[in-house]
Amino acid sequence: MTSPLPSSPAASVLDLAPVVPVVVLSDAADAVPLARALAAGGLPAIEVTLRTPAALEAIRAIAGEVPDAVVGAGTVITPEQVDACVAAGARFLVSPGWTDALLRAMRGSGVPFLPGVSTTSEVVALLERGVREMKFFPAQAAGGTAYLKSLAGPLPQARFCPTGGIGPETAPEYLALPNVGCVGGSWMVPADAVAAGDWARVEELARAAAGLRDAGARCR
């Protein structure tokens, strides 16, 4: 990441909360109540993925109506998407992987970004380009906590948000690692709760997730 979050006391998405909800929305009308529930539960950084046609409208709605949320865009894979997401109000960008063209666009966007990595060579390449904060994806499939522990020794300057296959049972193990700032996950936004508009349940799950850093400290 190359710049602080606007109007945020934290200089990095990795430091806003222990968990970043990864949100897939089919109906943009759900965006505002969902974001309010997550923020009320202690998870202000919200990654809305570009996996549905409703994503940009959802980002725009959260940015305009939920001041307690820090909304970002996930699954960003093209420079054109970078421009569209920032124009919609995204305050950070997350990609599953990266190319030099995508990295240039994200760097030029003026908002923080997490390019995705899954190998040591990708991490080294990003460090060479001045990027120290990254998404580790797909976390469980790419080696999980054992892989990240192995990276901490030779590459201590790299920090990660592992995402992919992580749940409330495994999140504390990741959060206990010195090179992990936060984790990404979707367990606090179950599809049935969103479909039913059960925002109280989402808030309860978010609150439990927000307390996982303490659990991670006990794993050290």
Side-chain angles (χ1 to χ4, degrees), residues 47 69 141 154 160 178 186:
E47 177 189 334
F160 301 95
S186 58

Side-chain angles (χ1 to χ4, degrees), residues 126-186:
L126 283 177
L127 290 173
E128 184 179 82
R129 289 159 173 79
V131 178
R132 299 183 185 279
E133 296 186 350
M134 311 164 197
K135 172 178 179 174
F136 180 58
F137 177 82
Q140 288 288 90
T145 55
Y147 195 94
L148 288 171
K149 285 179 185 176
S150 298
L151 292 181
L155 302 171
Q157 63 272 54
R159 294 181 75 212
F160 301 95
C161 173
T163 305
I166 299 174
E169 300 82 10
T170 54
E173 300 171 16
Y174 283 93
L175 293 168
L177 300 177
N179 55 352
V180 169
C182 63
V183 301
S186 58

Side-chain angles (χ1 to χ4, degrees), residues 5-198:
L5 292 175
S7 304
S8 169
S12 166
V13 172
L14 298 187
D15 299 322
L16 286 174
V19 179
V20 175
V22 179
V23 175
V24 180
L25 286 172
S26 298
D27 187 347
D30 293 326
V32 168
L34 178 65
R36 286 176 176 156
L38 291 170
L43 301 181
I46 302 168
E47 177 189 334
V48 177
T49 66
L50 301 184
R51 301 181 192 177
T52 68
L56 286 176
E57 186 180 347
I59 291 169
R60 190 174 294 109
I62 296 170
E65 299 182 45
V66 191
D68 292 336
V70 179
V71 64
T75 322
V76 178
I77 58 174
T78 70
E80 293 76 18
Q81 288 176 331
V82 169
D83 294 339
C85 291
V86 173
R91 293 170 63 186
F92 65 93
L93 305 169
V94 185
S95 66
W98 65 278
T99 65
D100 279 320
L102 180 58
L103 191 65
R104 281 194 299 271
M106 291 193 294
R107 195 189 295 274
S109 70
V111 302
F113 56 91
L114 290 171
V117 297
S118 60
T119 69
T120 305
S121 294
E122 291 171 318
V123 176
V124 171
L126 283 177
L127 290 173
E128 184 179 82
R129 289 159 173 79
V131 178
R132 299 183 185 279
E133 296 186 350
M134 311 164 197
K135 172 178 179 174
F136 180 58
F137 177 82
Q140 288 288 90
T145 55
Y147 195 94
L148 288 171
K149 285 179 185 176
S150 298
L151 292 181
L155 302 171
Q157 63 272 54
R159 294 181 75 212
F160 301 95
C161 173
T163 305
I166 299 174
E169 300 82 10
T170 54
E173 300 171 16
Y174 283 93
L175 293 168
L177 300 177
N179 55 352
V180 169
C182 63
V183 301
S186 58
W187 71 87
M188 74 298 300
V189 285
D192 59 340
V194 175
D198 190 350

